[in-house]
């Protein structure tokens, strides 16, 4: 059965989002699709845009990261058309998700965001989750946007050490 390549790429993205219990970033999805040379980056961006427009996936943006998740409509669409994904592609996706599961999950489980508060300060929110349970949620107020950005970047790089330090000091 011949099918539109864009339809296949949309189904691949839906299948990936359906197989994980957490949100995936655009770079995580891109990593798989571009590594396997299924399509180009530009085409993938069009596919993601189409999936968002048709509300088959939704996007949440924190800092400079966009996290994607499948919607109920996306689940329904995948259940009807998922059989159009070849066994070889399903195997590639399953292998990728299995090999990278911990890395993908850790990336999705750690978030950092900031915003300007009504007082003029910048509020940062640093979160680390495990199985949808917040392990730590730290809010800090700082005077400048640059400081907020530095704190958020530092959280991505040092969250495990910070969590370990807090646990040692508090217990």
């Amino acid at each position: 059965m011949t099918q539109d390549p864009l339809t296949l790429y949309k189904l691949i993205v839906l299948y990936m989002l359906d197989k994980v219990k957490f949100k995936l970033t655009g770079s995580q999805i891109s990593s798989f699709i571009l590594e396997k040379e299924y399509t180009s980056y530009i085409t993938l961006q069009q596919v993601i845009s189409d999936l968002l427009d048709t509300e088959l996936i939704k996007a949440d943006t924190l800092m400079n990261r966009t996290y994607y998740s499948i919607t109920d409509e996306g689940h329904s669409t995948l259940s009807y058309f998922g059989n159009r994904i070849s066994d070889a592609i399903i195997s590639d996706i399953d292998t990728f998700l299995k090999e990278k599961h911990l890395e993908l999950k850790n990336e999705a489980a750690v978030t950092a965001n900031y915003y300007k508060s009504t007082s003029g300060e910048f509020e940062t929110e640093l979160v680390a989750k495990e199985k949808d349970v917040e392990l730590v949620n730290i809010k800090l107020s700082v005077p400048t946007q640059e400081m907020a950005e530095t704190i958020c970047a530092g959280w991505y790089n040092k969250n495990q050490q910070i969590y370990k330090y807090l646990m040692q000091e508090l217990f």
Side-chain angles (χ1 to χ4, degrees), residues 159-171:
N159 63 80
Q160 291 177 337
Q161 296 99 311
I162 293 168
Y163 180 74
K164 181 179 176 183
Y165 171 79
L166 288 173
M167 295 305 285
Q168 288 173 340
E169 291 299 312
L170 296 174
F171 289 103

Side-chain angles (χ1 to χ4, degrees), residues 25-165:
T25 65
S27 64
Q28 291 171 327
I29 295 168
S30 297
S31 172
F32 168 74
I33 290 178
L34 298 177
E35 179 183 299
K36 293 296 182 181
E37 299 179 351
Y38 287 126
T39 191
S40 69
Y41 180 79
I42 301 296
T43 302
L44 178 59
Q45 295 313 303
Q46 179 61 49
V47 163
I48 289 173
S49 177
D50 290 351
L51 289 169
L52 288 167
D53 289 346
T54 56
E55 298 182 355
L56 298 178
I57 64 172
K58 68 177 184 172
D60 298 305
T61 302
L62 292 173
M63 280 278 291
N64 59 349
R65 290 183 180 187
T66 302
Y67 296 87
Y68 297 98
S69 58
I70 190 168
T71 63
D72 290 340
E73 187 66 32
H75 284 294
S76 295
T77 300
L78 186 61
S79 71
Y80 289 120
F81 301 107
N83 61 347
R84 294 185 180 185
I85 307 171
S86 73
D87 291 342
I89 293 173
I90 287 176
S91 177
D92 285 347
I93 296 169
D94 290 346
T95 299
F96 173 81
L97 294 175
K98 183 178 178 185
E99 289 175 355
K100 306 268 186 181
H101 181 77
L102 192 57
E103 179 183 328
L104 296 171
K105 185 177 177 183
N106 285 344
E107 203 172 313
V110 175
T111 60
N113 197 17
Y114 70 89
Y115 57 90
K116 191 170 187 175
S117 69
T118 55
S119 68
E121 296 272 309
F122 286 84
E123 302 286 329
T124 63
E125 183 173 19
L126 315 171
V127 178
K129 294 181 182 180
E130 186 173 294
K131 297 181 182 173
D132 289 332
V133 174
E134 283 188 1
L135 297 175
V136 64
N137 184 332
I138 301 171
K139 293 184 181 187
L140 299 169
S141 295
V142 293
T144 67
Q145 181 176 348
E146 293 77 21
M147 290 177 77
E149 290 171 351
T150 301
I151 287 169
C152 290
W155 179 246
Y156 283 117
N157 295 326
K158 298 181 180 179
N159 63 80
Q160 291 177 337
Q161 296 99 311
I162 293 168
Y163 180 74
K164 181 179 176 183
Y165 171 79

